[in-house]
Amino acid sequence: TLKGSEFSLELSTSDLIIGRRINVRAEDVQPRSVTIHLDAVVQGTVPVEPHVAIVPDSGYTVQGLGLSPPTVTVTGPDSAVRRLKSLPTVSLELRSVSTPVQRMVAIDTTGLGAVRVSPESVQVSADVTFVAERVLPGVPVKIETERPGDYIADPSIVLVTVRGSGRRLPLLTRDSVVVVASPSTTESTERVNR
C-alpha cells in the first residue's frame, strides 16, 4: 500500500527465499508488515576539495593545483544530497617531485550511504618547475604621492633580484616589475632612498 512517502508491505512465508539444499520450511514471519519510507531521488552538483599535498624536490617549486573536473554530480535521496556542500578527494601526498604532476584521484565517498557520485575520480594536475633567480637591472623607481613633482628618488633606478619558476623568469623584463616609493611625509622635496 502506497501512502504519501510511505510504502507498507505485507510479508508472508512465501516471500522468504531459503537455499535449495537446506531441508527446512518457513512457518511464520514477524512482523508481518514492514513500512518503507521513501525519499525523492534528486541530482545536484558540488565542488571537489582536493586533499592533495605535493612536496617538490629541493630546487623545485609547485605552480598551482588544478582539478578536472572541478565539480561532480551527486545523485541520491533529497535529504542527503541537500546536506552536501562539497566532496573531498581521498588523501594523496607526493614527495620529492621534480616534474609536472597529473594523477587521477578518487572522490572520498565515506559516509555517503545511498548517494552516488559521478565521476568517481578527478584529475589533479600541478606544474612543477625548477626555481631560478634572475637579476633585472635598471628598474625605475616610481614615486607614488599626490605631489610627485615635489619628490626625487635617489637612486632613480634600482637592481631587482627575483626568484621563481624557471619557466617564467625568462619572460620577465624590467618593464614587468614596478618599484614604488611612497613618501609618508607632506614636506616638499624629500629624497626617497630605496
Side-chain angles (χ1 to χ4, degrees):
T1 307
L2 182 61
K3 182 178 173 185
S5 63
E6 291 184 356
F7 180 70
S8 292
L9 182 63
E10 297 299 319
L11 299 175
S12 70
T13 55
S14 63
D15 295 319
L16 298 175
I17 298 173
I18 299 174
R20 292 182 183 188
R21 297 184 184 203
I22 300 174
N23 194 14
V24 294
R25 185 178 78 188
E27 293 292 324
D28 192 18
V29 177
Q30 292 294 326
R32 292 183 187 247
S33 178
V34 175
T35 301
I36 300 171
H37 300 277
L38 303 176
D39 197 353
V41 174
V42 297
Q43 201 171 62
T45 302
V46 296
V48 176
E49 288 185 19
H51 284 206
V52 176
I54 300 175
V55 181
D57 204 356
S58 177
Y60 288 83
T61 184
V62 177
Q63 298 289 316
L65 187 69
L67 288 177
S68 181
T71 60
V72 291
T73 301
V74 289
T75 306
D78 183 44
S79 57
V81 169
R82 271 190 280 123
R83 282 193 302 266
L84 296 174
K85 302 300 178 217
S86 65
L87 284 177
T89 63
V90 295
S91 294
L92 173 67
E93 183 175 341
L94 303 174
R95 295 190 158 279
S96 300
V97 178
S98 61
T99 59
V101 172
Q102 285 193 337
R103 288 279 175 90
M104 293 302 290
V105 181
I107 302 297
D108 187 352
T109 58
T110 304
L112 290 183
V115 175
R116 298 293 167 249
V117 178
S118 178
E120 295 175 349
S121 60
V122 294
Q123 182 171 298
V124 173
S125 58
D127 191 19
V128 178
T129 61
F130 63 94
V131 175
E133 185 172 284
R134 181 160 181 208
V135 176
L136 301 171
V139 178
V141 177
K142 177 183 174 189
I143 297 178
E144 193 171 86
T145 182
E146 292 176 11
R147 299 185 329 226
D150 290 350
Y151 295 90
I152 299 169
D154 184 19
S156 61
I157 58 171
V158 293
L159 187 79
V160 175
T161 303
V162 291
R163 284 177 53 91
S165 166
R167 289 193 198 129
R168 295 184 182 172
L169 281 185
L171 304 175
L172 277 181
T173 66
R174 69 178 186 195
D175 298 328
S176 306
V177 179
V178 178
V179 175
V180 178
S182 299
S184 59
T185 179
T186 57
E187 292 178 20
S188 155
T189 316
E190 176 181 319
R191 289 189 169 205
V192 178
N193 294 309
R194 298 279 178 186

